[in-house]
Amino acid sequence: LKAPAKGVASVQIEKGGEQVIKPETNAAPAKEGEAKIDLGESGFERVVEKGIAEVIDDQKNSKLHLALHKTAPVGTILKVKNEVNGFSVYVRVIGKLPDTGENSKVIVKISRKAFNTLEAGSKEFPVEVSFSKP
């Protein structure tokens, strides 16, 4: 068994002889207010945000998991985790969330289908949003 290159991954052999490859990261966990974590040599930056999510009002029963986000580029896949119950859903960004007064405390708006998957109890709820960008 060869040792992996430094900074790439670490290999551990657990009971039963299974090999487990774990990525090795040098980044510290995100603190409240910090949004970005570097993933090292992968060339991608991981962004984690905490805030309020809201359902998009004027949708006609879309069967897709879609979102509007303030900073993520269109086409980005976001992981949205409901901080109340721990449920998560992946959504695709279809547009920029306008920076208006009603959206000042909202970091993401999601489709009705994604909202139902997260089983949120109210129209606005606390979430953790994470995504990678080059």
Side-chain angles (χ1 to χ4, degrees):
L1 186 63
K2 290 183 180 179
K6 182 158 177 66
V8 176
S10 62
V11 177
Q12 296 178 346
I13 298 184
E14 296 187 356
K15 291 182 181 179
E18 295 178 9
Q19 290 184 6
V20 179
I21 300 175
K22 297 181 179 179
E24 188 176 296
T25 60
N26 298 330
K31 297 177 185 174
E32 191 70 35
E34 290 182 13
K36 298 179 181 180
I37 300 172
D38 185 18
L39 287 182
E41 296 178 17
S42 67
F44 289 92
E45 192 174 315
R46 181 115 173 120
V47 179
V48 178
E49 301 172 328
K50 291 186 178 192
I52 301 295
E54 195 174 275
V55 66
I56 301 172
D57 291 327
D58 55 319
Q59 276 204 322
K60 299 179 177 89
N61 295 335
S62 173
K63 294 183 180 185
L64 302 174
H65 293 154
L66 305 172
L68 300 173
H69 191 270
K70 289 185 177 183
T71 59
V74 172
T76 302
I77 303 294
L78 306 178
K79 179 182 179 184
V80 180
K81 178 182 176 187
N82 183 342
E83 291 195 323
V84 175
N85 59 19
F87 290 2
S88 296
V89 67
Y90 289 92
V91 296
R92 181 178 298 273
V93 176
I94 58 167
K96 186 171 174 67
L97 184 62
D99 201 11
T100 61
E102 69 181 35
N103 294 332
S104 63
K105 61 183 177 178
V106 177
I107 62 169
V108 65
K109 282 195 174 189
I110 58 175
S111 65
R112 176 71 57 191
K113 177 72 173 177
F115 175 79
N116 291 339
T117 302
L118 289 174
E119 296 184 10
S122 63
K123 183 181 172 185
E124 294 180 348
F125 55 101
V127 294
E128 178 182 283
V129 176
S130 59
F131 62 98
S132 296
K133 66 180 185 178

